[in-house]
Amino acid sequence: MATTSTTAKSQTLMVFEAVRGDILDVRMEPGSRLHVGSLVERFGVSQSAVREALSRLVADGLALALNQKGFRVAPVSIDDLHDLTEARIEMEVVALRRSLEKGDAAWEARVLAAYHELSRSTPVAVEKLHGTMLLWGVLHRRFHNALASAAGSDWLERFREVMFDQSERYRKLSVSHPTGPRDVDAEHRALMQAALERDVDRMHQLVAAHFRATAEIVTEAMQSRASAVK
Amino acid sequence: MATTSTTAKSQTLMVFEAVRGDILDVRMEPGSRLHVGSLVERFGVSQSAVREALSRLVADGLALALNQKGFRVAPVSIDDLHDLTEARIEMEVVALRRSLEKGDAAWEARVLAAYHELSRSTPVAVEKLHGTMLLWGVLHRRFHNALASAAGSDWLERFREVMFDQSERYRKLSVSHPTGPRDVDAEHRALMQAALERDVDRMHQLVAAHFRATAEIVTEAMQSRASAVK
DNA sequence: AAATAAAAAAATATCGACATTTTTGACTTT
DNA sequence: AAAGTCAAAAATGTCGATATTTTTTTATTT
C-alpha cells in the first residue's frame, strides 16, 4: 500500500497515511477506538508522532477526538451516507459544468484515456480479488478526476477529494454484499460521451444516477448488516 | 465550530482555538513561521499540546507543515482569493437553492431576525472600533447562515463554514484600506427579500455580486500593499 | 441474584529532555 | 566589498516518563 517514498518522511506522516488508509479501506471498524498504545507498538514510534497523526485525521473528518476519552474512527450512518451522496452530486455538477465549459483538446484526450484504462481493467467483471479491486479503485478515481480536471479550482478539487474518499469508504463497506445487476461500465461510457458532447444537463442526470446507485447498494448492505449483527 | 463548553478544555483545544483565532483575525502574518517554543512560552503548556494543535490547523488548511522546517501560517495570494471567491459563490448557491426550496415559516423568521440584528449593528456606518467590528462579523455570519439554514446538509454546512472562515481572513486583510462607496446593508436587504420571495436566480446574482465586491476590495488592498512593503 | 460501591487496571493527556536538522552569523577568500 | 565557508545557536522532530482520568474487575449490600 502507500508506503514511504524516496525522501525520508516524518514519523507523523507515516502513521497518518497508514491509519488513514486503514480507515478509508475499512480495515478498522467505524466507531471503534484508536488506542494510542497499540499504534505505538505497531509502528514502533513515540506517542507524540501517533497523537499528531491522529490529530490531523480529526480535522480531516476521518477520526473523532473525545475529551479525555481518546480517539475513535469516524462513525458511519445511513443518514450521513445520504447527506454525503446528495451533497457530492451537487458539488460534482458544479465542477463538471465548469470543466465542460473550459475543457480543451488535452482535456478530451485525458478523459478518453482514463475511460479506456478503466474499462479495460474489469475485463470479465471479476473483481473479487483484493489486488485488482484496489487497482480498479485507483482507475475509477482517475476517470472521475479526469472529467472534472478542467474546472481549474483548487478549492473545488479539495472538497471533491474529501467526498470521494468518504464515498469510497462507504462503498467498501458493501463489497461482500450481494449486488443486483448493474453495468457500471455503461454508466461510465455514458458519462464520457456526455462530457465530450458538453451536455451539462445529461451529465447532471447521469452523475446523480451513478452516485445514487452506489449509495443504494451500500444502504442495503448497512441495513442487512445492522439487523444481522447484535 | 462552536465547541465551547463549560467543562475544562484540553490544552490542545485551548491552543488550537487561540492560534486559529490569531490566524483568522490576521494577528499573525500569512506565511510567517509558527515557532513551537514561542507558543509553549505564551500558553504555558508542553510541546505536545502545541504540536497537536498545529497539526489540526494543518489539516484545516489554516497552517502548513514543512518537512523538518516547522509550521507556517497558511499564505494568501490574489489567485487563491479569486479561486476561493468563485468556488464559494457556487457552493453558496447550491445551499441557498435547497434552503429556498425547503425553508418553512420558522426559517423565514430566522432570516428576518438575523437581518434585523445585522442592520441595526451598523447604525451610523462607523465600524472603526475593534470591538464593534468583531460584533458585526458575528452578526454577518449569522445572517448568511440563516439564509442557508434550511438546506439541511451537514456536509454543505461544513464546507460553507471553511470557506466563510477563509473569506473573513481575506476581508480582515483590507480593513485599513480606503474603500469606495458601498451600501452593504442594501445588499443584505436585497438578499433577504429575494430569499423570502424564493427567487433563486436573483439570489444567485446578488450573492455573486456581494462576494465579488468584497473580493475586489481585498484584491486592491493586497496589490497596493504588495507594491508598498519591502 | 441484581444492583451498587470500591479497588485495580488500563488508557489518556501532559510534561521535560535529547538527538538532528536548519538557520544564523562570524570569518575567510577572491 | 561580495560571495562562499564553516562553526555556533536555535528550532525541530522524536522519545520515554508521569499524573489524571476512564474503564474494567472485584467485592459488598439489599
Side-chain angles (χ1 to χ4, degrees):
Chain A
M1 267 295 294
T3 41
T4 51
S5 65
T6 54
T7 58
K9 285 182 197 175
S10 68
Q11 308 284 59
T12 296
L13 246 184
M14 181 189 98
V15 176
F16 171 78
E17 289 177 358
V19 178
R20 180 188 151 88
D22 282 348
I23 295 175
L24 289 177
D25 292 346
V26 201
R27 284 187 292 272
M28 278 175 167
E29 184 77 10
S32 65
R33 295 193 65 167
L34 285 159
H35 296 270
V36 174
S38 317
L39 296 170
V40 164
E41 247 186 82
R42 177 169 152 208
F43 294 107
V45 299
S46 72
Q47 303 163 33
S48 317
V50 170
R51 288 191 125 269
E52 279 183 42
L54 294 180
S55 296
R56 289 187 55 176
L57 289 172
V58 167
D60 268 343
L62 264 50
L64 263 50
L66 292 83
N67 196 8
Q68 303 285 33
K69 287 186 194 170
F71 298 88
R72 296 190 99 94
V73 178
V76 295
S77 73
I78 291 177
D79 280 353
D80 179 62
L81 170 60
H82 182 255
D83 179 13
L84 173 71
T85 304
E86 294 303 317
R88 188 171 166 229
I89 290 169
E90 308 254 33
M91 188 93 67
E92 195 78 5
V93 168
V94 164
L96 287 174
R97 181 182 301 124
R98 279 218 204 177
S99 204
L100 265 56
E101 279 169 13
K102 297 166 69 174
D104 57 5
W107 167 76
E108 292 183 1
R110 284 199 299 276
V111 170
L112 268 168
Y115 169 72
H116 190 64
E117 282 203 73
L118 175 61
S119 68
R120 281 198 354 151
S121 80
T122 75
V124 278
V126 177
E127 324 156 351
K128 297 289 172 187
L129 289 161
H130 203 65
T132 57
M133 262 308 267
L134 286 179
L135 182 61
W136 184 84
V138 171
L139 295 175
H140 185 226
R141 179 184 299 250
R142 230 175 255 170
F143 172 67
H144 281 284
N145 281 345
L147 287 175
S149 66
S153 166
D154 290 343
W155 279 99
L156 287 181
E157 242 177 72
R158 182 177 152 190
F159 292 139
R160 275 188 69 251
E161 196 161 347
V162 170
M163 300 182 100
F164 196 105
D165 285 342
Q166 295 275 349
S167 300
E168 277 290 286
R169 184 157 90 111
Y170 275 106
R171 188 177 66 76
K172 284 179 181 129
L173 275 173
S174 70
V175 284
S176 59
H177 189 72
T179 164
R182 182 181 175 194
D183 192 344
V184 181
D185 183 56
E187 294 180 30
H188 288 141
R189 189 166 51 248
L191 280 167
M192 177 203 65
Q193 286 168 344
L196 297 184
E197 290 166 17
R198 319 283 170 144
D199 190 336
V200 175
D201 289 338
R202 181 119 192 286
M203 206 79 187
H204 188 150
Q205 283 186 313
L206 292 170
V207 163
H210 187 61
F211 288 1
R212 287 190 187 125
T214 303
E216 195 64 36
I217 294 169
V218 178
T219 301
E220 279 172 31
M222 286 177 77
Q223 277 168 342
S224 69
R225 186 185 254 206
S227 56
V229 182
K230 278 163 197 168
Chain B
M1 279 142 272
T3 46
T4 52
S5 62
T6 53
T7 59
K9 289 180 197 173
S10 69
Q11 308 283 59
T12 296
L13 247 185
M14 182 189 95
V15 177
F16 172 78
E17 289 177 359
V19 177
R20 179 187 151 89
D22 282 348
I23 294 174
L24 288 178
D25 291 348
V26 201
R27 284 188 291 271
M28 278 175 166
E29 185 77 9
S32 66
R33 296 193 63 167
L34 285 159
H35 296 271
V36 175
S38 316
L39 295 170
V40 165
E41 246 187 82
R42 179 169 152 208
F43 294 106
V45 299
S46 71
Q47 302 161 38
S48 317
V50 170
R51 290 183 65 73
E52 278 183 43
L54 295 179
S55 296
R56 289 188 53 178
L57 289 171
V58 166
D60 267 343
L62 264 48
L64 263 52
L66 292 82
N67 197 8
Q68 302 285 36
K69 287 184 193 171
F71 298 89
R72 295 190 99 92
V73 178
V76 295
S77 73
I78 290 176
D79 280 354
D80 178 62
L81 170 60
H82 182 256
D83 179 13
L84 173 70
T85 304
E86 295 303 317
R88 188 171 165 229
I89 289 169
E90 308 255 33
M91 186 94 66
E92 194 78 4
V93 168
V94 165
L96 288 174
R97 180 181 302 123
R98 280 216 201 177
S99 203
L100 264 57
E101 280 169 12
K102 298 166 67 175
D104 57 4
W107 168 74
E108 292 183 2
R110 283 200 301 275
V111 170
L112 269 168
Y115 168 72
H116 190 64
E117 283 203 72
L118 175 61
S119 69
R120 282 201 351 154
S121 80
T122 74
V124 278
V126 177
E127 324 157 351
K128 297 290 172 185
L129 288 162
H130 205 62
T132 56
M133 263 308 267
L134 287 179
L135 182 61
W136 184 86
V138 171
L139 296 175
H140 186 225
R141 178 185 299 250
R142 229 174 258 170
F143 172 66
H144 281 283
N145 281 345
L147 288 174
S149 65
S153 165
D154 290 344
W155 280 99
L156 288 181
E157 241 177 72
R158 181 176 153 188
F159 292 141
R160 276 188 69 249
E161 195 160 353
V162 170
M163 301 182 98
F164 196 104
D165 285 343
Q166 295 274 350
S167 299
E168 277 290 285
R169 185 159 89 111
Y170 275 106
R171 188 177 66 75
K172 283 180 182 129
L173 276 173
S174 70
V175 283
S176 60
H177 189 72
T179 163
R182 182 182 175 195
D183 193 345
V184 181
D185 183 55
E187 293 179 31
H188 288 141
R189 190 167 48 246
L191 280 166
M192 175 203 64
Q193 286 167 346
L196 298 185
E197 291 165 16
R198 319 282 170 144
D199 190 336
V200 174
D201 290 337
R202 181 117 194 285
M203 206 78 186
H204 188 151
Q205 283 186 313
L206 291 170
V207 163
H210 187 61
F211 288 1
R212 285 187 188 127
T214 303
E216 194 65 38
I217 293 170
V218 177
T219 303
E220 279 172 33
M222 286 177 78
Q223 278 168 341
S224 69
R225 186 185 253 206
S227 56
V229 182
K230 281 165 195 165

